[in-house]
Amino acid sequence: MSLLFRNRGAILLLMLNIFLIFTGIGLVIPIMPTYMIELHINGSIVGLLVAAFSLTQLIFSPFGGKLSDSIGRKKIIIAGMIIFAVSEWIFGVANSSFLLFASRMLGGIGAALIMPSVMAYAADVTSTKERAKGMGFINAAITTGFIIGPGIGGYIAEFGIRVPFFAAAVAGVVAAIITLLVLPESNIKKESELAQPRQTNKQSLISQLLHSYKEPYFLSLIIVFVMSFGLANYETVFGLFVDQKFGFSPKDIAFIITFGSISGAVVQMTIFGWMLNRFGERKVISSCLIIASLFVLLTLFVHKYWLIVVVTFIVFLSIDILRPAIGTQMSKMAQDQQGYVAGLNSAYTSLGNIMGPIVAGFLFDMNVNYPYVSAFIVLFACFVLSIRAARKVDSINTQVKLRKS
């Protein structure tokens, strides 16, 4: 019996926790305009709120990863869920910008604790061969949360503009209690005691980021950043782009994004594991990078509605495959440092999520096409880098084999 099958209950509970987190993040999207009116805040404050969440997650992610390595995944997941619930409750009662910032920053801390711990737990309870499938399940929950969050927020808001956040807080507490009672620890503490701790585990976040170039998975971290940067760049201005160029309605925009995201989740839940086992992480990552870059560029040249749907669908699908493929590749390199590497993964993701929207907004003000030109250049350059790195690794492996023979 496979490890994944025996631990399917744990994986499902992890999916529930991470789904709640990303659903809570998405709740704010349809409700924020009303909050702007009620609290008399402007668009700049809204942008800073988004950045505050990602920045806090960036700062605390490696710390959360190290904690999960030292004291266990379960405790950190429960702590993260409780912090998430508190952040949602504060957002619901907020009557000032200060409380909104406090809520988003607490939410970032909660996500920083949960994300690396969930990823590391999934790595703990799956074999190397099943790792891709397990990561695919987790990332499908993330994608589904992003898809459903805005819709749930808009629907529940019919009962009151603050009700969605109270509902998310209650759901977070319930999930934390279920996790406490049901989820077994993944035995990482025993492995950590046997493993020799690495010096990087004692470094600050800045030191970890500055020294991460020495790690064998550094290229994967760069791709994580580029992917997050490019996707945030693409999504931030997508609605503005198609509205200004094609006159799309909010319904049109919602359909395109939802269609692409759902398709990505389906792929992650079904054939993603087969793809990685059949072709390997490096080929899948390189293929997704080149496809995403070319179709981002192609967005500038299509004009018919159905073509825009197709092009956008392929971009989102490529990114949805790329994300868990990189996570799987790094988890195989991490060995006994699953939490630490997952924390760096989350940190680089947050860094891309901070910089992407800022750059996209600046470029969009200059020219409506510039954000997508920028995304194409960055993604294509990363594709070239991934090819060169793969060749270098193959060359080193060949030399090692020749020496042994």
Side-chain angles (χ1 to χ4, degrees):
M1 186 182 294
S2 69
L3 283 173
L4 183 61
F5 181 79
R6 284 184 297 182
N7 292 285
R8 62 188 184 280
I11 293 294
L12 287 173
L13 187 53
L14 295 177
M15 291 174 65
L16 172 63
N17 288 338
I18 209 72
F19 167 79
L20 288 175
I21 288 292
F22 283 90
T23 300
I25 294 171
L27 287 176
V28 72
I29 295 174
I31 299 171
M32 204 61 224
T34 304
Y35 262 58
M36 291 174 63
I37 296 173
E38 285 192 1
L39 302 183
H40 307 289
I41 59 178
N42 56 28
S44 297
I45 296 297
V46 175
L48 289 173
L49 284 171
V50 176
F53 180 95
S54 297
L55 180 61
T56 310
Q57 185 180 10
L58 167 67
I59 293 172
F60 284 90
S61 286
F63 179 67
K66 289 189 294 180
L67 280 178
S68 77
D69 280 338
S70 61
I71 67 176
R73 321 297 191 203
K74 178 178 178 177
K75 294 177 182 177
I76 302 305
I77 292 173
I78 293 171
M81 292 304 299
I82 293 174
I83 292 173
F84 161 77
V86 172
S87 74
E88 292 296 314
W89 181 81
I90 292 176
F91 207 94
V93 301
N95 56 8
S96 66
S97 297
F98 172 79
L99 287 177
L100 291 180
F101 275 103
S103 168
R104 291 293 90 182
M105 294 175 74
L106 276 176
I109 294 174
L113 294 177
I114 292 172
M115 279 289 291
S117 300
V118 166
M119 292 295 186
Y121 194 112
D124 293 338
V125 299
T126 56
S127 64
T128 302
K129 186 176 181 180
E130 296 169 329
R131 188 73 46 78
K133 191 173 184 180
M135 292 295 181
F137 285 156
I138 300 300
N139 280 278
I142 293 173
T143 303
T144 305
F146 270 130
I147 297 168
I148 294 179
I152 292 178
Y155 175 76
I156 301 181
E158 296 292 325
F159 302 96
I161 199 65
R162 299 173 184 269
V163 172
F165 302 105
F166 296 138
V170 172
V173 171
V174 172
I177 293 173
I178 295 174
T179 301
L180 175 64
L181 298 176
V182 175
L183 187 70
E185 185 53 80
S186 58
N187 203 32
I188 189 63
K189 188 173 183 180
K190 181 179 179 180
E191 295 178 9
S192 297
E193 291 170 352
L194 295 175
Q196 183 69 26
R198 293 169 60 176
Q199 184 66 29
T200 51
N201 281 6
K202 300 180 181 179
Q203 296 175 336
S204 66
L205 169 67
I206 296 177
S207 296
Q208 290 178 26
L209 292 175
L210 290 177
H211 290 87
S212 60
Y213 74 92
K214 299 178 181 179
E215 303 291 352
Y217 42 79
F218 177 66
L219 175 62
S220 296
L221 291 172
I222 292 298
I223 296 175
V224 166
F225 167 75
V226 171
M227 175 196 68
S228 302
F229 178 93
L231 183 59
N233 194 314
Y234 188 86
E235 289 185 325
T236 299
V237 300
F238 179 76
L240 301 175
F241 178 82
V242 295
D243 174 70
Q244 184 166 325
K245 291 198 72 171
F246 310 117
F248 278 18
S249 68
K251 184 178 180 180
D252 295 327
I253 297 169
F255 170 76
I256 293 173
I257 294 177
T258 302
F259 177 65
S261 299
I262 290 176
S263 301
V266 170
V267 169
Q268 290 173 0
M269 291 285 288
T270 54
I271 65 171
F272 174 74
W274 171 84
M275 290 174 61
L276 258 61
N277 290 330
R278 175 68 176 82
F279 301 105
E281 288 86 0
R282 286 188 296 175
K283 288 183 179 179
V284 171
I285 290 170
S286 297
S287 299
C288 287
L289 283 169
I290 187 61
I291 291 172
S293 65
L294 293 177
F295 276 83
V296 165
L297 184 64
L298 190 59
T299 306
L300 303 177
F301 301 100
V302 296
H303 300 286
K304 293 183 179 180
Y305 179 80
W306 70 271
L307 283 175
I308 297 170
V309 172
V310 171
V311 169
T312 308
F313 160 72
I314 294 175
V315 171
F316 279 113
L317 183 61
S318 299
I319 296 296
D320 286 336
I321 296 173
L322 181 61
R323 183 185 292 112
I326 296 171
T328 302
Q329 184 183 65
M330 285 195 293
S331 73
K332 290 183 177 179
M333 298 178 181
Q335 298 178 2
D336 62 302
Q337 301 292 322
Q338 294 289 342
Y340 172 72
V341 174
L344 277 177
N345 185 350
S346 183
Y348 272 80
T349 299
S350 298
L351 195 60
N353 288 337
I354 294 169
M355 297 182 63
I358 296 174
V359 173
F362 175 76
L363 293 176
F364 186 83
D365 289 338
M366 296 175 59
N367 186 291
V368 66
N369 295 320
Y370 284 179
Y372 288 175
V373 174
S374 170
F376 161 73
I377 293 173
V378 172
L379 289 171
F380 187 80
C382 197
F383 161 73
V384 174
L385 184 62
S386 69
I387 293 297
R388 291 184 176 180
R391 291 176 178 173
K392 183 177 181 180
V393 171
D394 290 339
S395 176
I396 293 174
N397 291 336
T398 302
Q399 292 177 10
V400 171
K401 289 180 180 179
L402 289 174
R403 290 172 183 174
K404 290 182 177 179
S405 61

